[in-house]
């Protein structure tokens, strides 16, 4: 694992965008297309602002995304399809192919559609955010580490719902859908490279728990990322603020 701590979320996001653009260029020198899975949420906003400025041959990039609420209209401010369409796809398009998770379809049918596509197109780059409860995608603790499905239906826990309210995506906790379609942990771990963009003070405790816990545990889902052979963790001084020197030295 390679950890970097940047002075601010903006500096972090610019460096992350640059790393991804370089990685895409490198991959396209050896293959004719690149497949990426994107995270959403507040933590990724500045990253998209910088990514759309990078010089990338987007017509050769196929995109997936990690998760979507079940039964939330696409016009809702919190819809991840709306987020990705407005903040990324409309800014850089056209991409080679776009696979958005449609939470308004029958979940089993939608999961089958996405799983089939993922089998055909292994993911080169995974942009995997870490939630305030240390979830990855919408795999809240205790996360299912063993399912071999590519996507599954998950129940959202209150801490996860509260984060969405605190970030202003919903007015109150009762407005947050109870379920989502999420990429599974095993599928996430199959990405050839994983970059986690994790800024802000609200993530400091999740970052500490993830780094100080020696073995992967479903209670802290992000711990599994440390076993990935090509895992990059990008923090800012706020999200790294609870880390003791010993942990910073070990991973930096
Ligand atoms: C969110 C999103 C995911 C994201 C993760 C962390 O709820 N649905 O796509 O990777 O959970 O997001 P954030 O960093 O905003 O907490």
């Amino acid at each position: 694992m390679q950890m970097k701590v940047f002075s601010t979320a903006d500096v972090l996001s610019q460096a992350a965008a640059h790393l991804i653009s370089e990685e895409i260029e490198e991959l396209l020198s050896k293959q004719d297309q690149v497949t990426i899975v994107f995270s959403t949420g507040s933590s990724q906003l500045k990253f998209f602002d910088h990514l759309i400025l990078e010089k990338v041959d987007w017509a050769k990039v196929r995109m997936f995304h990690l998760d979507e609420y079940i039964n939330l209209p696409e016009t809702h401010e919190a819809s991840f399809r709306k987020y990705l369409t407005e903040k990324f796809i409309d800014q850089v398009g056209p991409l080679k192919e776009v696979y958005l998770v449609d939470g308004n379809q029958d979940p089993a049918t939608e999961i089958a559609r996405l799983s089939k596509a993922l089998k055909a197109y292994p993911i080169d780059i995974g942009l995997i955010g870490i939630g305030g409860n240390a979830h990855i995608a919408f795999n809240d603790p205790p996360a299912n580490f063993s399912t071999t499905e590519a996507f599954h239906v998950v129940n959202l826990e209150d801490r996860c719902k509260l984060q969405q309210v605190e970030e202003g995506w919903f007015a109150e906790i009762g407005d947050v859908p109870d379920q989502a379609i999420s990429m599974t942990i095993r599928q996430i771990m199959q990405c050839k490279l994983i970059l986690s963009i994790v800024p802000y003070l609200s993530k400091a405790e999740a970052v500490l728990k993830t780094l100080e816990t020696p073995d992967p545990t479903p209670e802290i889902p992000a711990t599994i990322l440390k076993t990935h052979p090509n895992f990059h963790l990008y923090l800012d001084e706020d999200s790294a603020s609870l880390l003791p020197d010993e942990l910073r030295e070990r991973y930096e």
Side-chain angles (χ1 to χ4, degrees):
M1 154 179 162
Q2 206 196 350
M3 179 176 98
K4 285 190 179 165
V5 182
F6 298 88
S7 53
T8 66
D10 196 56
V11 175
L12 181 172
S13 302
Q14 190 170 17
H18 201 58
L19 176 78
I20 294 310
S21 126
E22 280 186 339
E23 184 65 23
I24 294 171
E25 197 179 331
E26 162 79 15
L27 287 166
L28 287 177
S29 70
K30 297 178 289 199
Q31 57 195 60
D32 60 3
Q33 48 186 265
V34 172
T35 301
I36 305 184
V37 60
F38 290 94
S39 278
T40 48
S42 303
S43 62
Q44 313 296 306
L45 287 169
K46 283 180 188 289
F47 166 68
F48 282 111
D49 286 347
H50 287 289
L51 188 65
I52 60 177
L53 301 176
E54 291 284 334
K55 212 173 160 300
V56 174
D57 191 353
W58 291 112
K60 293 183 176 164
V61 175
R62 172 184 301 102
M63 78 171 280
F64 287 86
H65 75 126
L66 285 178
D67 45 16
E68 181 59 284
Y69 298 104
I70 289 180
N71 282 337
L72 187 74
E74 195 179 346
T75 48
H76 192 289
E77 211 41 53
S79 157
F80 296 132
R81 281 167 291 160
K82 176 176 161 69
Y83 174 120
L84 287 166
T85 303
E86 291 177 357
K87 297 179 194 336
F88 177 60
I89 300 166
D90 285 353
Q91 309 295 326
V92 302
L95 287 96
K96 182 169 185 66
E97 265 179 304
V98 174
Y99 287 94
L100 296 181
V101 182
D102 187 345
N104 297 98
Q105 299 299 318
D106 165 58
T109 310
E110 182 62 356
I111 287 171
R113 179 182 78 89
L114 296 165
S115 306
K116 191 172 164 209
L118 273 176
K119 267 211 180 91
Y121 309 117
I123 298 170
D124 295 298
I125 301 171
L127 291 149
I128 311 297
I130 297 177
N133 63 356
H135 72 196
I136 50 177
F138 263 142
N139 297 288
D140 284 340
N144 184 335
F145 278 8
S146 53
T147 179
T148 53
E149 300 299 315
F151 280 85
H152 57 172
V153 173
V154 291
N155 297 318
L156 304 184
E157 66 156 22
D158 280 353
R159 276 183 299 171
C160 169
K161 290 181 175 178
L162 196 60
Q163 178 188 334
Q164 311 307 327
V165 173
E166 283 169 355
E167 290 179 354
W169 299 104
F170 296 93
E172 51 186 275
I173 205 165
D175 295 342
V176 186
D178 292 324
Q179 292 191 309
I181 296 174
S182 173
M183 187 174 280
T184 62
I185 299 274
R186 278 211 177 193
Q187 183 66 50
I188 290 171
M189 291 299 283
Q190 284 170 36
C191 298
K192 292 173 198 153
L193 175 149
I194 292 180
L195 170 62
S196 290
I197 296 167
V198 191
Y200 307 132
L201 202 54
S202 57
K203 301 294 170 67
E205 206 179 312
V207 167
L208 172 65
K209 280 191 188 160
T210 300
L211 294 188
E212 74 178 359
T213 306
D215 297 319
T217 166
E219 297 301 329
I220 309 166
T223 49
I224 192 98
L225 297 174
K226 293 193 295 178
T227 66
H228 189 280
N230 194 3
F231 172 47
H232 302 254
L233 177 61
Y234 277 19
L235 306 176
D236 66 0
E237 286 294 348
D238 286 335
S239 61
S241 59
L242 294 179
L243 296 181
D245 291 347
E246 176 264 322
L247 277 182
R248 278 185 76 141
E249 279 155 23
R250 188 184 326 161
Y251 292 114
E252 256 183 313

